[in-house]
Structure formats: structure tokens, C-alpha cells
Amino acid sequence: MGVVTDIRGRTRAARLVPAQKCRRIGRGGAGNVSLFWRIFSLNSAGLVVAAALLLGPITVSTPVLPAEALVVVAGLAVLLAANAVVLRVGLAPLQRLGRSMATADLLRPGARAAVAGPAETAELITTYNTMLDRLETERASSAARALSAQERERHRIARELHDEVGQTMTAVLLQLKRVADRAPEELREEVGQAQEATRAGLDEIRRTARRLRPGVLEELGLASALRSLATEFTAHGLSVRHHVPGDLPALPEEAELVVYRVAQEALTNTARHAGAARAEIRFRRIADAVELVVRDNGKGLGTAPEGAGIGGMRERALLIGAALAVRPGPEGRGTDVRLRIPAGGR
């Protein structure tokens, strides 16, 4: 507990340094005067000038002469215009902050409101940015724990499917074979159909267990796992090509699992929702990063909001500091899922 407290204390202190600098700049800068003092100074200056003019060369008669009315109206217009300019300039940072708050998305981290404007506004924006830093860190930490628990549960279910349900189905299949050997001729066809249905169910259980726990990833590595994934979805009626070289830089185990799960989820979405006939997986090196691309020729994203599948992919990308983009494919057809990971992972 002491270590956790110490680490959190250091993290918060590191994040508060920019905020303290912004506060010093906001209070000490010559152009960062408080919005209150800006408006008060402008109004005071206008009233002082108006009083000096009334006590000096300008007089107001009773009844008011047209020339005098014109001077008063012109002075009032100038004062109102100056007030409008000051308020527009002073409140512009708050309007930008409002737009930033309306579009903030913790699954797309990094966007921050520009620190500008009067001292109070600059301090408010700095506090908001600091809050976003903390929320993004806490969300990434909670997502890591949730996804880790999810992977453990996947492994448990896969093990139970393979060890318990799979063995039971195998025993049923063997029993049906013995029944078929002893059954009368008129019943053998029905028993044979039961055998085929049981065999198909057993194959589906094994495929489900492999999807839940990618043993090929653990045993043969990421490149072989992606090729196997393409082959698996091709067997389900979707033509999936793969371009996965074998000389890519090594990634941490966590990053490899994220790449595999993102590819798996993207192909699952393609098979279920895209109405596509073809898809492809590309995994390649780009400058100082590696990039996974899953592309299809389906009906595209449309106007539907992002579902839980894409949200889960974004959560996983955040865990390894990767950037995930889901957008229309080339020439606006199909869907393009891109996961870019810094070389070496996080």
C-alpha cells in the first residue's frame, strides 16, 4: 500500500507542475489580466471620459439639442462596442473549453484545450486538462484490470469446453457408433444423422475454445496466429487474404495479444455485419512502428454508432499505447481498421 501511495503521489506532483506554471503565467503576464478587471477598467475609463467631457467642452441643454444628442449616442455606442469586444475576447477561451468538453472521449486520449485567456479562465482550463490526465490514467488502469480478468475467464471457459463438454461429446459420439453397429438397417440412417450432428457440434465446440484461448499464439507466435485466423474465417464463407511477413520486430506478449484480439474482433464484425465477400489482413513495419490493417469490401460503417466490439478494440489499444482508427476503406467502400503500435510496444 505504501508503494502505491508513493507512486500516485509522484504522478500527481508531476502533473501539477504544468498547471502551476500556467497559473504563474496567467497571474503574472501583462496580457492576462482578469476578465473582471478588464470590464471594470473599460467601464471606468468610459465613465471618466464621459464625465470629463460633460464637465468640459460638452454641455447638455434642456431640451436636448440634436447635436448634443448625437454626441451622447455616439459615446454610448463606442462604450457598448468596446464592452462587446472585451467580452468576446475574454469569453472566447471558455467557448473553446465548452467545445472541448463536449467532444472529449476517453477512448481517444490526448486532445486538450489550449490554455489561454484571463487568469481565471486559464486556471479553469488547466484544471480541466489535469482532470482529463487523471481520468485517462484511471480509465486505462481499470480497463487493464477488466481485460485481464476477461482473458482469465476466456481461458477458464475454453478449458471447461475442451476438457468437460468436449470429452462428453466425444463419449456420446463413440456411444452412437456402437449403437449404429448394432441398430437394425431401418434405423442406421437416423443414427448416422445423429452422429454427424454430434460430430459437427464437437467441431464447433473446439473452434469456440480455440477462439477463446488462442493456443496457436502461445505456441507458434503472432504471425502464425494471424495466418491461422485468416484461414479460420475463410472456412466460414468469407474469403480472407493475409500478408504477414515473418521478420517483424518482436512485440511484448501483451501487445501480441492485443493485435490478435483486434484482428479477431474486426473479422468477426466483418463476418456478422458487413455483408462482405472478401477481407484481408496486413501486418507490416512502418517507420518506427508496426501496423495491423484489417480491410473488407462490405457495406461500410454507415451512420450507426460504434458498438461494443469497436469500443473493446479501442480499450485494448489504449493498454499498449497504440492508435486505433476505424474508417471507410479506399474510395469509400468497405471498412478499414488500423492498429498502429510503436516498435517495441509500451
Side-chain angles (χ1 to χ4, degrees), residues 117-194:
E120 315 98 308
T121 305
E123 187 169 353
L124 176 63
I125 296 174
T126 300
T127 302
Y128 169 72
N129 289 341
T130 304
M131 180 192 70
L132 274 185
D133 289 339
R134 185 171 63 252
L135 288 176
E136 287 178 0
T137 301
E138 291 174 355
R139 183 184 181 91
S141 176
S142 62
R145 291 193 296 270
L147 291 174
S148 176
Q150 183 185 78
E151 287 298 328
R152 290 195 300 270
E153 187 66 10
R154 283 172 179 261
H155 284 201
R156 184 188 67 80
I157 295 174
R159 190 166 52 249
E160 289 185 359
L161 284 175
H162 183 272
D163 295 345
E164 298 180 15
V165 181
Q167 290 181 4
T168 300
M169 295 285 284
T170 301
V172 170
L173 194 60
L174 293 174
Q175 185 66 30
L176 284 173
K177 185 179 184 305
R178 286 194 291 269
V179 171
D181 293 339
R182 300 175 183 176
E185 187 66 31
E186 61 272 13
L187 293 178
R188 287 185 179 178
E189 182 178 354
E190 295 182 11
V191 175
Q193 292 175 353

Side-chain angles (χ1 to χ4, degrees), residues 35 85-97 118 121:
L35 182 60
V85 170
V86 170
L87 286 174
R88 176 68 67 182
V89 173
L91 295 178
L94 289 179
Q95 293 174 339
R96 290 196 296 270
L97 175 62
T121 305

Side-chain angles (χ1 to χ4, degrees), residues 76-120:
L76 179 61
V78 170
L79 184 60
L80 291 176
N83 266 298
V85 170
V86 170
L87 286 174
R88 176 68 67 182
V89 173
L91 295 178
L94 289 179
Q95 293 174 339
R96 290 196 296 270
L97 175 62
R99 289 193 294 269
S100 178
M101 294 173 71
T103 58
D105 187 353
L106 296 181
L107 290 179
R108 297 176 175 85
R112 296 292 182 268
V115 180
E120 315 98 308

Side-chain angles (χ1 to χ4, degrees), residues 292-317:
L292 170 74
V293 179
V294 182
R295 180 180 297 160
D296 65 61
N297 68 339
K299 59 186 179 182
L301 297 170
T303 57
E306 291 187 357
I310 296 179
M313 287 192 285
R314 295 195 185 281
E315 293 275 10
R316 291 183 181 278

Side-chain angles (χ1 to χ4, degrees), residues 291-292 314 317-318 320-325 338-342:
E291 183 181 59
L292 170 74
R314 295 195 185 281
L318 288 178
I320 58 173
L324 179 78
R338 291 176 181 267
L339 180 73
R340 181 167 295 189
I341 310 162

Side-chain angles (χ1 to χ4, degrees), residues 37-48:
W37 284 111
R38 287 187 183 190
I39 299 176
F40 178 78
S41 301
L42 178 63
N43 288 333
S44 299
L47 292 174
V48 168

Side-chain angles (χ1 to χ4, degrees), residues 253-294:
E253 182 179 340
E254 185 182 38
E256 289 189 347
L257 182 59
V258 168
V259 171
Y260 181 84
R261 290 300 188 198
V262 168
Q264 185 182 50
E265 183 63 36
L267 288 175
T268 300
N269 288 342
T270 296
R272 290 179 179 175
H273 310 299
R278 298 187 308 276
E280 65 174 329
I281 298 178
R282 291 182 178 271
F283 195 52
R284 56 190 177 180
R285 184 199 300 266
I286 297 181
D288 58 347
V290 290
E291 183 181 59
L292 170 74
V293 179
V294 182

